Amino acid sequence: MLNNNISINNFVASVSSFANIHHLFAKEGIYLVALSGGADSVALLLALLDIGVRVEAVHCNFHLRGEESDRDEQFCKDLCSKYNVELHLVHFDTREYAALHHVSIEMAARDLRYAYFERLRSDMGAEAICVAHHRDDSVETVLLNLVRGTGLRGLRGIQPKNGNIVRPLLCVSRDDIECFLDSIGQDYVTDSTNLHDDVKRNKIRLDVLPLLETLNPDVRQSIFRTSLRVGEALKMFDAAMTESVAKVFAENPFGGGVINLQTLLSQPSPEYVLFEILGRFGFTSRQVDDIYASIGACGIGKVFSSSEYDLLFDRDQLVVEKRKDETERQRVIRIPEPGSYVFGDELRVKAVEEECGADYKPSRSNSCVCLDAAELVFPLTIRHIAKGDRFMPFGMHGQSKLVSDYLTDRKKNAFEKRAQLVLCDSKGRIAWLVNERIDDRFRISDKTQKAVRISVILKSDD
């Protein structure tokens, strides 16, 4: 246990109270402390020991700062030995990982660190991983998010608990941490890279916050308190937003969904509901602004695109669909003879020859058709529609029509048109607009002796 004096008690009591308020620790649980050797993590370890939390420490050597990295490792070994805390050590080749995964050194270190923490936590049955983010870190995060324009959630700052990560020091400042360590005579190591304002966070820390303190000396605490209030308000906001999104948006299991415009516009904040929905599909805030401004101002068929999704204006709704690459649209599926065929996970085809008699009953299902075997010449192909495709819709004897015009008459939107499949015979004639209508030339008549019953089951139809 640590020595008792007023300064120590105030610090430890603040951490303990904050942990209790946010339910960070289970009474009998064991917790991992991410220990770098810096002031923050050292204070975290010692405060938790004083509170009585069962802890073990974990230190990552990223081998990025030469002798400094080895110095930090040795410091952590000595500290844990002094306080009789078990220490888990791991070494990473961070630069090689960053090059292999095409990420920054900072992101590589983060990925490696948290992946190892979680594996270790799971292996040893620990409740959570304790990291040493403090109040000033949260304040910096709020300001960074404000500059980036990340929306309301960014104004919450760093949360006390996020999955298996807990942050008991969010209630204390960096100055509080250093005073606590000074009061007990505990040293720590310093990362020299934090002394230069060559990254955005350090610019906030070294340049922006000191300037704001000239306007309000207590600005850090003011921002932190505001972030806590925003966090509480967001709980109510999220509940209301979940309800609004459920009313407005019908998601489909294949990527995308449909937004009902009338219902959207009846919400208290239609634009924010739209942002909430479209953000998950990669649309930026600027794109959402443009989409919202286009409601009622653009005609049917206008399309907006994110990196992976397209959004279509379709009468009284917005349709969001995951985009397929062009090679997928140009694919031709070949059916050499009657039989059963499976093409990947998305298409199943069955073709069966049948004798026709006076009581023969052709299929009436959208996904299955019966065609005159004398007209239908194998091999068959299935493909997406192409520009200029024509066929003779059933019932229009001898009259051909552009497939695109037929689909327009059927009020199909642009997404439905580009997804439309056709079944062609060996002569290239369209025998069937799949799930729509057969070509009149292939219909069953009283002269038909044999039929070919063909079913096409798409994944989206299951």
Side-chain angles (χ1 to χ4, degrees), residues 6-20 47 51 171:
I6 295 176
S7 177
I8 297 173
N9 286 341
N10 285 343
F11 183 88
V12 174
S14 295
V15 174
S16 179
S17 176
F18 184 80
N20 288 334
I51 292 170
C171 59

Side-chain angles (χ1 to χ4, degrees), residues 274-301:
L274 190 63
F275 177 82
E276 187 75 12
I277 296 170
L278 296 184
R280 69 183 70 174
F281 299 112
F283 289 90
T284 66
S285 57
R286 179 170 293 182
Q287 284 180 304
V288 175
D289 289 343
D290 291 341
I291 292 167
Y292 185 72
S294 297
I295 295 175
C298 74
I300 297 171

Side-chain angles (χ1 to χ4, degrees), residues 383-406:
R383 61 171 173 80
H384 285 90
I385 63 171
K387 186 176 181 180
D389 275 346
R390 303 187 74 93
F391 83 128
M392 293 182 184
F394 177 74
M396 295 180 63
H397 306 292
Q399 298 182 46
S400 70
K401 188 167 189 172
L402 283 169
V403 171
S404 59
D405 288 345
Y406 172 84

Side-chain angles (χ1 to χ4, degrees), residues 33-166:
V33 174
L35 183 65
S36 68
D40 306 338
S41 65
V42 171
L44 173 62
L45 177 66
L46 300 186
L48 296 187
L49 286 174
D50 207 322
I51 292 170
V53 179
R54 293 175 59 204
V55 296
E56 294 183 11
V58 53
H59 176 78
C60 301
N61 189 331
F62 297 104
H63 294 281
L64 293 174
R65 294 175 288 115
E67 292 182 359
E68 261 195 23
S69 293
D70 296 332
R71 175 208 64 182
D72 294 353
E73 178 180 320
Q74 188 58 51
F75 176 87
C76 291
K77 288 179 179 178
D78 294 340
L79 181 70
C80 289
S81 176
K82 177 181 177 181
Y83 289 100
N84 196 29
V85 173
E86 184 170 348
L87 175 64
H88 304 268
L89 290 171
V90 63
H91 292 247
F92 295 117
D93 189 337
T94 313
R95 289 190 173 86
E96 182 178 348
Y97 178 93
L100 181 64
H101 294 274
H102 306 290
V103 296
S104 67
I105 292 291
E106 181 183 23
M107 185 58 67
R110 175 184 172 81
D111 290 347
L112 289 166
R113 176 170 65 245
Y114 281 103
Y116 175 72
F117 288 168
E118 179 54 28
R119 286 197 303 272
L120 181 60
R121 184 204 66 79
S122 178
D123 289 345
M124 62 183 288
E127 296 287 337
I129 302 120
C130 305
V131 295
H133 291 115
H134 50 73
R135 185 200 68 186
D136 296 344
D137 292 323
S138 187
V139 169
E140 292 162 11
T141 298
V142 170
L143 293 176
L144 280 170
N145 289 340
L146 186 63
V147 171
R148 292 168 179 159
T150 55
L152 288 176
R153 287 182 179 79
L155 301 184
R156 293 179 301 180
I158 301 173
Q159 295 298 289
K161 188 171 186 177
N162 184 9
N164 293 322
I165 304 295
V166 297

